[in-house]
Amino acid sequence: MKTRLSVIVLFLFSNVILGQDYLSFTNCLELALQNNLALKNAHLSREISNYKYRSSYGKFLPFVNGTVENKKSWGREIDPDTNLFVNKKIENYSGDLEAEYNLFSGFSTINTIKSAKQDVKINDANIQKIENEITINLAQKYITILYLQEIIISNQEQIKSSEEQLELAVLKYESGVISESEVFKIKSQKATEELTLLTNQNHLTDNLISIKQLMNIPLESDITLVKLDLEMNVAIEMNEDQYYLTKRAVEIHPSYLMQIIKVQQMQT
C-alpha cells in the first residue's frame, strides 16, 4: 500500500513539474522574436519592398504588347475581301503588335530604383529597431520578475517574523509587561507588510502578463523563469572615450539610420 501511494505521489509531482515551462532569457527572446506580431509585420513589409525593388528594374526592359482578334459570322454578311453579300460562314482573323523602349526619361527610372532600394534599407533598419525594442523590453520584464519573486519571498518571511513577534507581544501584554499600544504597533507593522506583499504580487502578475504578451503565448500558460547567470567580462575596457562610445551608439542606432535614409530618399 505504501509503495502504491508513493508511486501515485511521484506521478502527480512529476505532472506538476512537467506542466510548467522553464524558460531562460535566451528561450524567451527566441519566442519573442519568432512570435511577435509587430516583428512579423515588419518582415512582411520588408519582403514587399524587396519585390518592388526587383520589379523596378523592369522599367529598363522594352514594353511589348500584342492583340489577336478572331471574328466569326453566319448568314447574310458582307465578305471583307470582295465587298459582296454572301450567305455563308465567314471567319476573319486580325491582330497587331506594338513595342516601346524608353531610351531616356531624365533619370526618373534610375531615381525610382534608388528610392525602392532605400525602402528596402529602411525596412531592414525598422526590423532591427523592433528587435532591439523587444530585447530591451523583454530584459526589463525578465529581471523585474526575478526581482519581485525574491522580494515576495522576503516579504513572506518578514510577515512570518511579525506574526511571531505579535504572538510574543500578546503574551507580554496579557502578562502586564508591555502596554496595549505596543501590540497595536506590531499589528500595524504586520498589516503594512501584508499590503506590501499584495502590491508586489500584483506587480509580479502584471509583469508576467506583459512578458507572455511579448512572447505571444497564451496567458494561462504556466512558466517559470530561470535565474540569470551573470558574469563580469574582464576584457571590457571601461576607460574608452565616452564621447566616442556615445557617438558610435547614435550612428548605429536603427532609428537614426532610418532618418538618414529617408532624408537621402527625399533628395533623390
Side-chain angles (χ1 to χ4, degrees), residues 146-156 196-197 200:
L146 295 179
Y147 170 75
L148 288 173
Q149 288 175 343
E150 295 294 332
I151 290 297
I152 288 174
I153 294 174
S154 177
N155 294 148
Q156 292 171 342
T196 302
L197 173 62
N200 289 331

Side-chain angles (χ1 to χ4, degrees), residues 117-218:
K117 185 177 181 180
Q118 288 167 340
D119 281 335
V120 175
K121 292 182 179 180
I122 290 174
N123 282 280
D124 287 336
N126 186 43
I127 290 174
Q128 186 62 45
K129 173 188 174 184
I130 295 176
E131 289 180 350
N132 290 348
E133 292 175 351
I134 291 174
T135 304
I136 293 173
N137 291 335
L138 185 68
Q140 181 182 7
K141 300 297 181 184
Y142 195 97
I143 295 174
T144 302
I145 289 172
L146 295 179
Y147 170 75
L148 288 173
Q149 288 175 343
E150 295 294 332
I151 290 297
I152 288 174
I153 294 174
S154 177
N155 294 148
Q156 292 171 342
E157 293 177 353
Q158 184 62 41
I159 291 174
K160 290 181 181 179
S161 176
S162 297
E163 290 175 350
E164 295 175 356
Q165 293 180 8
L166 181 60
E167 292 177 359
L168 181 61
V170 170
L171 292 176
K172 289 183 179 181
Y173 167 70
E174 293 175 351
S175 302
V177 178
I178 61 175
S179 61
E180 190 176 7
S181 61
E182 296 295 328
V183 178
F184 289 151
K185 288 181 181 179
I186 299 177
K187 286 183 178 181
S188 176
Q189 177 183 346
K190 180 174 175 292
T192 302
E193 293 168 353
E194 290 174 346
L195 178 61
T196 302
L197 173 62
L198 181 60
T199 302
N200 289 331
Q201 288 174 340
N202 290 335
H203 289 333
L204 177 61
T205 302
D206 291 339
N207 282 274
L208 282 172
I209 292 175
S210 298
I211 200 171
K212 290 176 183 178
Q213 290 176 338
L214 279 174
M215 296 184 291
N216 197 20
I217 62 176

Side-chain angles (χ1 to χ4, degrees), residues 104-116:
F104 182 73
S105 58
F107 301 106
S108 63
T109 302
I110 296 177
N111 292 334
T112 300
I113 295 175
K114 288 182 179 180
S115 178

Side-chain angles (χ1 to χ4, degrees), residues 42-43 45-56 112-128 258 261 265:
H43 279 289
S45 298
R46 200 271 180 192
E47 291 183 6
I48 293 173
S49 63
N50 192 34
Y51 287 139
K52 290 182 178 179
Y53 170 60
R54 292 180 180 179
S55 63
S56 62
T112 300
I113 295 175
K114 288 182 179 180
S115 178
K117 185 177 181 180
Q118 288 167 340
D119 281 335
V120 175
K121 292 182 179 180
I122 290 174
N123 282 280
D124 287 336
N126 186 43
I127 290 174
Q128 186 62 45
M258 289 175 62
I261 297 173
Q265 187 180 36

